[in-house]
Every structure is written in structure tokens, then in C-alpha cells.
């Protein structure tokens, strides 16, 4: 099918082959079947664009909500510069410290503001392309960003693969 430039037919055979391998309990190892099941669920073996994009948008939405509720500090930490006054001609030593982020307090619903949404959105968009946002986050926010920086680029890759396979037909 591929040699005859029949891309849709080749895609159908590929999908069927993967389905048979996924359902074969005797010849396909359990680990491979688990991987195929994950690949099928996330992107339909790289052939279902809507499924892959839905997972990506869903993961980004969950990450934004997690950052808004638990990940962003109550206030942006403000750096403090301290030093000692010295006489003329002596060296001046200044130290700048940024206090650690403070976890937000109060009802969770009050944390769902436009400002916190915008900050969370920036962090999530940056994490999809493996960049650090530079935003100070709480401990929960840091772990949320780490997991986002691992999973969302994978989902983006599956979406791009599915889109490529759809356009290629």
C-alpha cells in the first residue's frame, strides 16, 4: 500500500496491525501490550489528531488549574538588599535575598482570578516547549511544573505526529 502511494490504505493496515498486537495475549509481551494500549488511548497509534489534541488540551487545563489553586505563591516574593554603611573609601558589600514563596491561603475559589490564570498560562505554555518559566512557584507548583514539562511535550509530539499523518494522506 505504501509503495503504491495509497496512504489511507496503509494507515488502515497499520492501525489494524497495532490492534491485533494489542489484543494478542499469547504472542505479544505484556509490556508491549501496555505500551500499545497507551499509544492507542493517547493518539490512536499516531493517527487520531482530535484524540491527541484533546489529551494535550486536557493536560494543559489540569496543569493551569493546579497552578492557580496550589502552585502560585500568595504574593510575588520581593528581593531585599541588605548591607552596612561604611566610611568613604571602603568597599561596600550588599547582599540580595529573595524570600521563599509563600503558599496561598484562604478558600480555593478565591484563588481562581484572572491574574493567577494569566501567570499559570505562561508557566504551562513555557513548560510545553521545555523551557523554565522563571516564575517563582510553591513546592506543589514546582512539582506540577516538572510533571508538566515531562508529559505535555510528549503529548504535543503525539499531536504533531497525528496531524502529520492526517495531512500526509
Amino acid at each position: 500500500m505504501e509503495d503504491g502511494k495509497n496512504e489511507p490504505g496503509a494507515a488502515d493496515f497499520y492501525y489494524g496491525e497495532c490492534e491485533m498486537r494489542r489484543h494478542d495475549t499469547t504472542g505479544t509481551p505484556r509490556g508491549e501490550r501496555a505500551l500499545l494500549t497507551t499509544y492507542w488511548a493517547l493518539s490512536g497509534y499516531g493517527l487520531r489528531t482530535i484524540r491527541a489534541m484533546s489529551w494535550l488540551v486536557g493536560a494543559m487545563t489540569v496543569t493551569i488549574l493546579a497552578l492557580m489553586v496550589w502552585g502560585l505563591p500568595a504574593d510575588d516574593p520581593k528581593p531585599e538588599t541588605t548591607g552596612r554603611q561604611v566610611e568613604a573609601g571602603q568597599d561596600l558589600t550588599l547582599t540580595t535575598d529573595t524570600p521563599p514563596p509563600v503558599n496561598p491561603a484562604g478558600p480555593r475559589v478565591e484563588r481562581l482570578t484572572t491574574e493567577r490564570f494569566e501567570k499559570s498560562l505562561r508557566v504551562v505554555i513555557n513548560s510545553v516547549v521545555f523551557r523554565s518559566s522563571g516564575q517563582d512557584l510553591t513546592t506543589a507548583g514546582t512539582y506540577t511544573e516538572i510533571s508538566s514539562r515531562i508529559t505535555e511535550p510528549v503529548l504535543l509530539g503525539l499531536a504533531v505526529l497525528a496531524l502529520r499523518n492526517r495531512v500526509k494522506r
Side-chain angles (χ1 to χ4, degrees):
M1 291 288 191
E2 287 176 346
D3 290 342
K5 301 297 181 199
N6 183 355
E7 296 291 335
D12 289 342
F13 274 112
Y14 172 71
Y15 195 93
E17 175 204 355
C18 288
E19 279 291 286
M20 287 186 283
R21 287 176 37 214
R22 183 169 70 96
H23 291 293
D24 179 20
T25 57
T26 58
T28 306
R30 180 178 292 183
E32 185 177 342
R33 284 195 329 266
L35 184 62
L36 283 168
T37 300
T38 304
Y39 190 33
W40 166 80
L42 293 177
S43 67
Y45 307 116
L47 298 172
R48 304 293 186 254
T49 307
I50 298 295
R51 190 182 305 178
M53 292 299 287
S54 298
W55 276 105
L56 177 62
V57 169
M60 290 174 71
T61 302
V62 167
T63 304
I64 287 171
L65 289 173
L67 287 174
M68 287 176 69
V69 174
W70 299 290
L72 295 175
D75 294 313
D76 288 331
K78 296 180 179 35
E80 289 182 5
T81 302
T82 57
R84 251 186 18 189
Q85 185 175 359
V86 295
E87 295 179 21
Q90 291 183 339
D91 291 336
L92 176 65
T93 303
L94 297 176
T95 305
T96 302
D97 291 322
T98 303
V102 177
N103 288 329
R108 292 186 180 124
V109 175
E110 291 180 5
R111 301 177 198 169
L112 303 175
T113 64
T114 305
E115 180 184 348
R116 291 176 70 83
F117 173 78
E118 189 268 331
K119 286 181 180 179
S120 298
L121 183 63
R122 274 190 286 132
V123 171
V124 170
I125 289 173
N126 282 329
S127 69
V128 170
V129 291
F130 271 116
R131 291 182 7 164
S132 178
S133 65
Q135 172 73 40
D136 287 321
L137 300 172
T138 63
T139 303
T142 301
Y143 287 116
T144 301
E145 184 185 29
I146 289 169
S147 64
S148 170
R149 290 174 68 182
I150 293 170
T151 58
E152 290 168 9
V154 171
L155 294 172
L156 178 64
L158 289 173
V160 168
L161 175 68
L163 183 63
R164 176 188 165 271
N165 284 334
R166 174 64 68 189
V167 171
K168 192 172 151 184
R169 290 188 205 178

